[in-house]
């Protein structure tokens, strides 16, 4: 009897140890948001570089082609159950592209207007901080996150395909971001 109990405990312990060591596959919503944020910022850097002359049209096209390839891979990973390493690889490619764009940019003295991508990243941090600190009620945090995700995806859709956002589209995105920021400010 003791031997059977010992073997059962040993077997359960072994399975628990094995399952804890096995690589975990699941969805990674934070990785998706981070990738979207990086893509928004990269898209804006390319557009700004082309407008200011910091990037040549050929450089811009090369960077946009790389970004398009990354977006295709992102679409394949999004909302799927995958290993974290696949997301890490995608983020590594985004980081490398961002660094290449930064190196290609020359210094400009022009004062730049705030970019939507920077605002999206800043608001994401504020929502995350509010969730972690407990300042944001759970229902408000979910609503704010859903609104920001909607704005981010709309911005990505607008700028996809090498098309710069129109003045009206930028104004709409900016207005929605400002409204979200004011709502988040209520919980400071």
């Amino acid at each position: 009897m003791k031997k059977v109990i010992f073997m059962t405990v040993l077997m359960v312990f072994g399975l628990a140890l094995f399952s804890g060591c096995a690589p975990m596959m699941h969805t990674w919503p934070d990785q998706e948001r981070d990738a979207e944020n990086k893509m928004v910022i990269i898209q804006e850097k390319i557009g700004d570089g082309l407008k200011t002359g910091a990037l040549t049209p050929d450089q811009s096209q090369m960077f946009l082609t790389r970004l398009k390839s990354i977006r295709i891979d992102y679409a394949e990973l999004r909302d799927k159950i995958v290993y974290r390493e696949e997301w890490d690889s995608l983020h590594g490619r985004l980081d490398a592209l961002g660094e290449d764009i930064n190196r290609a940019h020359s210094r400009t003295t022009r004062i730049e207007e705030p970019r939507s991508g920077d605002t999206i990243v800043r608001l994401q941090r504020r929502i995350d901080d509010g969730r972690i600190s407990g300042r944001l009620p759970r229902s408000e945090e979910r609503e704010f996150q859903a609104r920001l995700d909607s704005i981010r995806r709309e911005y990505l859709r607008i700028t996809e395909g090498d098309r710069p956002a129109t003045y009206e589209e930028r104004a709409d995105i900016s207005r929605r971001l400002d409204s979200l920021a004011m709502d988040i400010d209520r919980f400071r």
Side-chain angles (χ1 to χ4, degrees):
M1 184 68 171
K2 288 183 180 181
K3 199 175 204 179
V4 171
I5 293 173
F6 176 73
M7 290 302 288
T8 304
V9 168
L10 187 61
M11 195 179 219
V12 169
F13 179 72
L15 285 173
L17 181 65
F18 178 73
S19 67
C21 294
M24 299 293 286
M25 284 185 68
H26 54 81
T27 59
W28 301 90
D30 289 339
Q31 296 286 342
E32 287 180 28
R33 279 190 212 107
D34 291 344
E36 288 172 351
N37 286 340
K38 287 178 182 180
M39 287 187 287
V40 165
I41 290 170
I42 287 171
Q43 180 77 40
E44 284 186 346
K45 284 181 181 179
I46 295 169
D48 290 346
L50 191 58
K51 277 192 272 185
T52 63
L55 296 177
T56 66
D58 288 341
Q59 287 175 316
S60 297
Q61 190 58 46
M62 178 186 69
F63 292 140
L64 287 170
T65 301
R66 285 177 58 191
L67 181 60
K68 184 177 181 179
S69 171
I70 293 171
R71 279 186 173 171
I72 291 169
D73 293 343
Y74 163 79
E76 291 175 10
L77 292 178
R78 192 170 140 215
D79 295 328
K80 293 195 176 140
I81 298 176
V82 296
Y83 292 107
R84 181 180 179 118
E85 289 78 28
E86 293 181 57
W87 279 110
D88 291 343
S89 172
L90 184 96
H91 280 280
R93 290 172 55 204
L94 283 168
D95 293 339
L97 178 57
E99 289 171 11
D100 289 347
I101 293 169
N102 288 339
R103 277 193 296 275
H105 267 268
S106 64
R107 298 246 185 236
T108 60
T109 57
R110 180 175 80 84
I111 297 175
E112 295 182 13
E113 61 188 52
R115 297 183 312 209
S116 297
D118 295 336
T119 305
I120 289 171
V121 170
R122 196 170 36 257
L123 288 175
Q124 182 64 59
R125 285 187 188 129
R126 289 177 59 192
I127 292 170
D128 292 344
D129 291 344
R131 178 182 52 236
I132 291 168
S133 69
R135 276 180 290 157
L136 283 178
R138 186 75 177 137
S139 61
E140 296 292 329
E141 181 265 324
R142 279 194 301 265
E143 178 199 340
F144 294 156
Q145 188 63 61
R147 286 172 60 190
L148 184 61
D149 289 345
S150 172
I151 294 167
R152 182 186 303 112
R153 290 207 171 108
E154 177 69 12
Y155 185 80
L156 284 172
R157 185 195 62 75
I158 288 170
T159 59
E160 192 170 34
D162 308 340
R163 181 179 75 83
T166 65
Y167 174 78
E168 292 81 18
E169 290 169 332
R170 285 192 318 267
D172 179 56
I173 295 290
S174 181
R175 180 191 50 77
R176 291 170 61 195
L177 288 170
D178 291 344
S179 172
L180 179 58
M182 287 189 310
D183 290 345
I184 293 172
D185 284 343
R186 292 185 323 207
F187 293 95
R188 278 194 163 193

